[in-house]
Amino acid sequence: MTGKQKKSPVLKVEDLAVAYKVRGGEIEAVQRVSFEINRGETYGIVGESGCGKSTVAWAIVNFLGANGYVKRGSIKFQGQELVGKSGEELRRLRGDQIAMVYQDPMQALNPSMRLGDQMKEVLTVHRGMADDEAAQHCIQMLERVYMPDAANVMRRYPHQISGGQQQRVVIAMALLNNPALLVMDEPTTALDVTVEAAVLDLIAELSRDFDTAIMYITHNLGVIARVSNRVGVMYAGEMVERGTVAKIYKNPRHPYTQGLMRCVPKLGADKAGSILHPIRGRVPPPTHRPAGCVFGPRCDYIQDKCREERPLLRDLDGIMVRCHFAEEIIASEWTPSEELALPQIEAVSSDSETILELNDLKKYYEVQGSSFKDVIGLGEKRYVKAVENANFTVAKGKTLGVVGESGCGKSTLIKTIIGLEGSTSGKATFMGFDISGDISGRDEALIQELQMVFQNPDSTMNPSYTVGQQIGRPMLRFGTVPKNQVRGEVIKLLESMRLGENYYDRLPRQLSGGEKQRVGIARALASRPNLVLCDEPVSALDVSVQAAILNLLLEVQQEFNTTLVFIAHDLSVVRFFSDEVAVMYLGQIMEIGPADAIYAPPYHPYTEALLSAVPIPDPTIQQKHIRLEGSVPSAINPPSGCRFHTRCPRRKLLPHGGKICETELPNWQITGDGHRIFCHIPAETLQTFDPVITVESD
């Protein structure tokens, strides 16, 4: 550095190897990992599940368990060697100078203690602070992480606040002692896109204001692009590439990093104009890693040297890369192998027949109060208004995407359509038949035509039955094929899911998460339905598996002309996958129309805020900074008028500060080509909004 001496890093990891003792020997989960993090810097670690990201974090804080240990290498924290320190020394460091934030905040919160007591304990134990002083300090820190009504939150238990608020409490608790190092392991994965955006903003502020070194672990390339200065890409226990975010995202040098980038749909891309290319195969377990390059079996550029010799990490134009032939590999010249080549998606005719139609569909849940009057049935009845006046049609062979925050009614909407819930009022017709009631009143032939893919395949698969039995059951139940042909048809479905006959006799516990989801899709297709409802089917999957599942659904749709209703919280995925998009908020549809119309002005102010919040895996893209204040109101007592008015940042565009929004329901504004917006602000004004997303010129 010119003019001043370079500061020593807060954390320096060199040639780290982590092993676990198992019956008959040991397994090296992590090998040859090196990186460093400086003060005020956020270092991202990215990779698929099973690549060793969390193991590195646990090694730093010594949470490896009884059978895990650092086999070799060095972990230096502020110049101190952590490897070999006693448990008591490490405990003092963890409580005072190193803090960790987990993916699930409830892992760090005691459900039986008030939040204030848990937070004060950090200061009274490690700083010897008096109780009153500690309480005041905790309130100030909660306010610093934008917690509404911080003093009242101190008196609550963890279950009495939302998931996003729980994560803010954990972050505030981690920062109470102003740690030098903050380790964050997927802290926003389970959060809504709007809450995630607020937490990511907070992380960037904390790194700057507290001069804290942050190690940020995630599988989301968009999150890394938003919060990190530098990034390390891990694969099969090794760091295969590391460098600045700007350099790696612009020109990734390792084939694995390039493959991850190709798996992610870019916001604005659609299925007709672009194709996702998943990485073939999957991360090898530590017991079956190849002798040469660990990525070799999945690499399109593999040569004999890759099979025989482990590559070393070396400098290539300012990027450290672990590849023998990185100089010769140009990402822009990559072409898919035959097994990855996919057919171009054809556009569905705009005059296709309507297969599903909803008219003023409502779904309310009665809430049982706890007062004496409520118990004896004399109290006022209260309802959760989960879906309110849903109106739309879906054409045969098309996909309707549904987006919105948690609690907006997305899942209730499709549960009502499929019949797991009966509607309260309104009408829903499928293929001309009324499906407003629950499934018990439906004809069996209608049930056969309407199937569902759930978010968590584990909760819908019987662990005692084989894959073949579970896929074959709908065929037998609905008689889609003769009994003696069921096995053959199941094998055909398995092959179309890229699985194969060898999966027929496997049990669910013998499958990976992506394989289970493919079985769930195969089972939904076994009855040859006309409409498949997909409830967040890819939200819990790695980007490569997600790309494979999306491609699979698109192929199925092309081959069988299947209609899909697709729920997801990732707006990039919904834009890529859907022909039309509906945006829901607190039970109401706020905007609906062709996918390309939803992602460009005019937008509903809520859609605009969602687009501003989505993390995009491209540091050159600029997004408007729009953050919604407060949380989603209760569906038991929703706001009058426009339900979004309590959080709308655009109300001031209307006369009298948007008073009309508080008292009157908006009218639908038609902007053309079936695009409708449920808002008081005139369409001409909405049209003047600047685009949320712009691309920087080079």
Side-chain angles (χ1 to χ4, degrees), residues 10 130 134 239 303 312 329 408 428 447 561 631 678:
V10 173
M239 191 81 79
Q303 299 183 33
L312 299 175
I329 297 170
C408 72
I447 295 172
N561 199 28
S631 54
F678 195 57

Side-chain angles (χ1 to χ4, degrees), residues 484-498:
N484 62 347
Q485 296 177 22
V486 167
R487 183 182 176 91
E489 285 298 312
V490 170
I491 291 170
K492 281 184 187 176
L493 259 180
L494 284 171
E495 288 172 346
S496 70
M497 298 293 118
R498 306 282 195 272

Side-chain angles (χ1 to χ4, degrees), residues 141-158:
M141 188 57 74
L142 285 173
E143 290 172 346
R144 180 65 188 78
V145 299
Y146 305 111
M147 177 68 75
D149 196 11
N152 189 33
V153 167
M154 292 276 287
R155 295 190 289 271
R156 295 182 186 173
Y157 289 93

Side-chain angles (χ1 to χ4, degrees), residues 38-39 51 100 112 120 154 205 264 307 333 442 452 515:
N38 300 308
R39 270 206 171 274
C51 69
M100 188 160 182
S112 63
K120 287 186 294 183
M154 292 276 287
E205 286 181 31
V264 183
R307 297 183 180 94
E333 296 180 1
R442 292 187 187 177
M452 188 163 176
E515 288 169 342

Side-chain angles (χ1 to χ4, degrees), residues 271 342-348 396-399 489 491-498 521 525 528-530 550-564 577:
K271 60 187 177 184
L342 298 166
Q344 193 68 35
I345 302 299
E346 298 175 7
V348 180
K396 184 168 179 56
K398 286 201 172 187
T399 301
E489 285 298 312
I491 291 170
K492 281 184 187 176
L493 259 180
L494 284 171
E495 288 172 346
S496 70
M497 298 293 118
R498 306 282 195 272
I521 294 170
L525 297 173
R528 299 175 184 170
N530 269 302
L550 291 175
N551 286 339
L552 185 59
L553 286 169
L554 290 175
E555 287 183 52
V556 166
Q557 187 172 46
Q558 284 286 99
E559 183 176 352
F560 300 106
N561 199 28
T562 308
T563 309
L564 299 170
F577 191 74

